[in-house]
Amino acid sequence: SQQGEEDPQALSIQEGENATMNCSYKTSINNLQWYRQNSGRGLVHLILIRSNEREKHSGRLRVTLDTSKKSSSLLITASRAADTASYFCATAPWGGTSYGKLTFGQGTILTVHP
Amino acid sequence: GAGVSQSPSNKVTEKGKDVELRCDPISGHTALYWYRQSLGQGLEFLIYFQGNSAPDKSGLPSDRFSAERTGGSVSTLTIQRTQQEDSAVYLCASSPSRIYQPQHFGDGTRLSIL
């Protein structure tokens, strides 16, 4: 079952604009990860934020995590046509035998127009 | 180094046949995961291996699905008596031994059941 709800389902912007995607989840987590998927390809890991972190940066990516609201956002600044892809959030549970099991959101389809 | 390799990339088979999907993880990665991606269900966890053991196989949808891993490396996902609802992209991922690490995905096997 899907833990995460992503919003929006689709986002269309012009090159150079910023793109913001949101993710909500339901259960307690150890960390939240964002992945990108280009059409017909596997997922590529973008960034991991732990439950005790509030914000993380990687290049043009900024991720925030609010555990009280069980939500996260991914901001891509100065977008490029090459950023066109589907973006998924995924949550990892605490401990037990399932710590490796990621639960994915439904994804946001981002289209960046040149 | 080489990434996660999955074969075949595409598989078309008739309903009722058995299929085997193969995953070669990144060398040295002890954790291996299988996921399924379909339009209706999104990305779903199937099974997780640590070494050759499967601590969590909670996502396998029925007893027609099984998986094994040998030598702490290659894994095979087997679907017996395939049904049309098994049509999906089957993704494999691996990660290093330390827990809560990003997962590295292969490009998947697209399975179509006629």
Side-chain angles (χ1 to χ4, degrees), chain A residues 9-88:
Chain A
Q9 291 187 328
L11 182 58
S12 181
I13 59 174
Q14 295 295 129
E15 239 180 358
E17 294 180 340
N18 295 342
T20 300
M21 289 160 262
N22 302 295
C23 167
S24 62
Y25 58 92
K26 297 174 184 173
T27 61
S28 178
I29 63 170
N30 173 279
N31 67 74
L32 185 144
Q33 303 176 33
W34 285 89
Y35 288 81
R36 184 189 75 226
Q37 185 178 37
N38 290 90
S39 182
R41 303 298 301 272
L43 282 77
V44 174
H45 179 262
L46 297 176
I47 199 164
L48 181 154
I49 186 165
R50 302 191 190 283
S51 60
N52 61 352
E53 297 175 308
R54 292 295 167 258
E55 187 171 314
K56 204 160 184 180
H57 297 254
S58 176
R60 294 183 296 112
L61 306 180
R62 171 178 169 255
V63 168
T64 61
L65 179 64
D66 186 336
T67 52
S68 66
K69 294 181 179 177
K70 292 187 167 57
S71 68
S72 174
S73 68
L74 170 67
L75 168 67
I76 304 173
T77 60
S79 63
R80 306 165 181 168
D83 295 328
T84 295
S86 294
Y87 291 81
F88 295 90

Side-chain angles (χ1 to χ4, degrees), chain B residues 36 64 83-88 90 113:
Chain B
R36 180 169 71 172
R64 296 186 295 106
Q83 304 292 313
Q84 286 189 330
E85 61 263 28
D86 301 334
S87 295
Y90 289 82
I113 310 298

Side-chain angles (χ1 to χ4, degrees), chain A residues 2 37 42 95 98-100, chain B residues 33 37 43 56 99-100 103 107:
Chain A
Q2 296 295 315
Q37 185 178 37
S98 299
Y99 65 76
Chain B
Y33 316 82
Q37 185 174 28
L43 271 155
D56 190 343
I99 63 172
Y100 299 124
Q103 296 181 17
D107 284 339

Side-chain angles (χ1 to χ4, degrees), chain B:
Chain B
V4 176
S5 178
Q6 292 188 245
S7 61
S9 54
N10 285 282
K11 177 73 176 179
V12 181
T13 192
E14 293 179 348
K15 176 182 170 182
K17 301 284 190 185
D18 297 352
V19 295
E20 284 190 354
L21 312 180
R22 177 187 168 105
C23 173
D24 279 278
I26 293 172
S27 178
H29 282 193
T30 60
L32 185 147
Y33 316 82
W34 284 97
Y35 296 88
R36 180 169 71 172
Q37 185 174 28
S38 60
L39 280 175
Q41 300 299 320
L43 271 155
E44 301 174 283
F45 168 83
L46 296 178
I47 187 169
Y48 151 61
F49 288 93
Q50 183 62 42
N52 293 335
S53 302
D56 190 343
K57 51 181 79 172
S58 62
L60 295 177
S62 75
D63 58 8
R64 296 186 295 106
F65 287 72
S66 63
E68 65 173 10
R69 188 178 185 195
T70 55
S73 180
V74 172
S75 176
T76 302
L77 177 68
T78 301
I79 309 173
Q80 296 179 309
R81 304 181 303 281
T82 52
Q83 304 292 313
Q84 286 189 330
E85 61 263 28
D86 301 334
S87 295
V89 177
Y90 289 82
L91 293 163
C92 175
S94 68
S95 66
S97 58
R98 290 176 297 161
I99 63 172
Y100 299 124
Q101 293 298 307
Q103 296 181 17
H104 302 260
F105 282 78
D107 284 339
T109 294
R110 182 174 297 276
L111 177 63
S112 300
I113 310 298
L114 302 179

